[in-house]
Amino acid sequence: MKRKMFALLSILFVGFVIAGCSDAESSDSDQGDQEDNELVIGIDDAFAPMGFRDENNEIVGFDIDMAKAAGEIMGKEVIFQPIDWSTKESELMSGRIDLIWNGYTITEERQEKVLFTEPYLENAQVIVTLQDSDITELDDLKGKNVGLQAQSSALDALNANPISEEVGSITEFSDNVLALNDLKTGRIDAVVIDEIVIDYYMTKEADTYKVLDEALAPEQYGVGVKKGNEELLEELQAALDQMNEDGTSAEISIKWFGVDKVLK
């Protein structure tokens, strides 16, 4: 009797183990499928008009709309992950994010670290000062205090110009909003910033700023993908190409800039 009872218990135990393993495998499979359907995008959430928080603290912007449209074509749920912009490549390489998509300038240095889509937007680094500033040209930056966003292409553009050797100091900020705030309070004299970004702020504070006619460097935006993930790059590029062909990207550009600025 005891042997029969032991055998019965053994059978039940094995059954429970198999069922448990099956449930765990099913759960892991479901989680894997869910992750496969997610596209985590690293952004600077203070980079208007590309990606930023509106008055309701919602993340909005040109790149945000572009990413949502691309995700829909790709059949993926898009998740926007605000990150420290100075660590964006590390976040990508670690796998914590799938894409860098927020006014991300294509540079030779960055191309050594990440894959890029085809450029989708033209930009330039420009100098902005206050309306009543005596700075009217690049040479006027001699001895002046200049601010810019840390780990951005603004620093590369400034360093590539001879005037960088003659400025009084360079202050790096975590985002452009802080740099512009210090400009308004007089703690710095000028800011090196993306033309697209300052154009947006000029529509809101036209009487506050002025932009020098001389730009530091033309550049282009692209989406960054982890090296080795050519499959995702090709899938994303196909979605962007489709958006260009069906007019989706033009519609988004007109919404944010008033004109179609998207490179075809």
Side-chain angles (χ1 to χ4, degrees), residues 39 41 62-63 65-74 99-101 116-121 221-225 232-250 252 262-264:
L39 200 59
I41 300 177
F62 171 80
D63 278 339
D65 287 351
M66 289 284 286
K68 287 178 179 178
E72 187 173 343
I73 293 171
M74 297 165 69
L99 302 173
I100 303 173
W101 194 343
F116 275 98
T117 62
E118 294 296 321
Y120 63 90
L121 211 61
Y221 290 154
V223 183
V225 182
L232 176 58
L233 178 66
E234 292 174 6
E235 187 180 3
L236 174 58
Q237 188 61 59
L240 292 174
D241 291 343
Q242 180 176 325
M243 289 162 60
N244 285 342
E245 292 171 6
D246 65 20
T248 300
S249 57
I252 294 171
V262 178
L263 298 174
K264 304 295 195 295

Side-chain angles (χ1 to χ4, degrees), residues 2 26 57 66 79 84 91 101 142 144 160 186 225 238 245 249:
K2 289 182 178 179
S26 176
N57 204 38
M66 289 284 286
I79 298 172
D84 179 346
E91 294 281 340
W101 194 343
K142 293 176 182 177
K144 301 295 186 181
V225 182
E245 292 171 6
S249 57

Side-chain angles (χ1 to χ4, degrees), residues 181-233:
N181 284 340
D182 268 23
L183 176 63
K184 286 191 283 189
T185 58
R187 285 191 284 269
I188 56 177
D189 302 300
V191 174
V192 183
I193 193 170
D194 296 64
E195 184 176 33
I196 281 178
V197 174
I198 194 57
D199 282 352
Y200 174 80
Y201 283 104
M202 291 280 282
T203 64
K204 298 182 176 297
E205 301 178 88
D207 296 332
T208 302
Y209 308 112
K210 67 179 179 183
V211 178
L212 303 193
D213 291 335
E214 299 170 85
L216 285 176
E219 57 186 33
Q220 296 177 323
Y221 290 154
V223 183
V225 182
K226 183 179 179 180
K227 279 209 167 183
N229 201 348
E230 284 81 5
E231 182 179 349
L232 176 58
L233 178 66

Side-chain angles (χ1 to χ4, degrees), residues 59-211:
I59 295 175
V60 298
F62 171 80
D63 278 339
I64 304 304
D65 287 351
M66 289 284 286
K68 287 178 179 178
E72 187 173 343
I73 293 171
M74 297 165 69
K76 293 184 180 291
E77 177 189 358
V78 174
I79 298 172
F80 297 103
Q81 179 62 55
I83 59 173
D84 179 346
W85 198 244
S86 65
T87 64
K88 53 193 174 296
E89 286 86 10
S90 297
E91 294 281 340
L92 183 68
M93 288 185 281
S94 70
R96 286 189 288 270
I97 60 175
D98 300 307
L99 302 173
I100 303 173
W101 194 343
N102 200 194
Y104 189 37
T105 301
I106 301 171
T107 68
E108 290 184 5
E109 181 181 359
R110 288 172 177 172
Q111 285 176 316
E112 295 176 0
K113 301 176 183 178
V114 305
L115 300 173
F116 275 98
T117 62
E118 294 296 321
Y120 63 90
L121 211 61
E122 299 276 7
N123 184 48
Q125 292 298 322
V126 297
I127 306 294
V128 59
T129 65
L130 298 179
Q131 278 280 6
D132 59 359
S133 171
D134 59 359
I135 298 173
T136 59
E137 55 186 31
L138 282 178
D139 282 347
D140 294 334
L141 292 178
K142 293 176 182 177
K144 301 295 186 181
N145 300 317
V146 178
L148 46 80
Q149 183 174 11
Q151 297 297 311
S152 69
S153 57
L155 182 59
D156 297 334
L158 180 59
N159 285 336
N161 192 286
I163 195 62
S164 63
E165 301 294 329
E166 301 187 67
V167 299
S169 66
I170 299 175
T171 303
E172 297 187 42
F173 297 85
S174 60
D175 59 57
N176 286 311
V177 174
L178 294 176
L180 292 174
N181 284 340
D182 268 23
L183 176 63
K184 286 191 283 189
T185 58
R187 285 191 284 269
I188 56 177
D189 302 300
V191 174
V192 183
I193 193 170
D194 296 64
E195 184 176 33
I196 281 178
V197 174
I198 194 57
D199 282 352
Y200 174 80
Y201 283 104
M202 291 280 282
T203 64
K204 298 182 176 297
E205 301 178 88
D207 296 332
T208 302
Y209 308 112
K210 67 179 179 183
V211 178

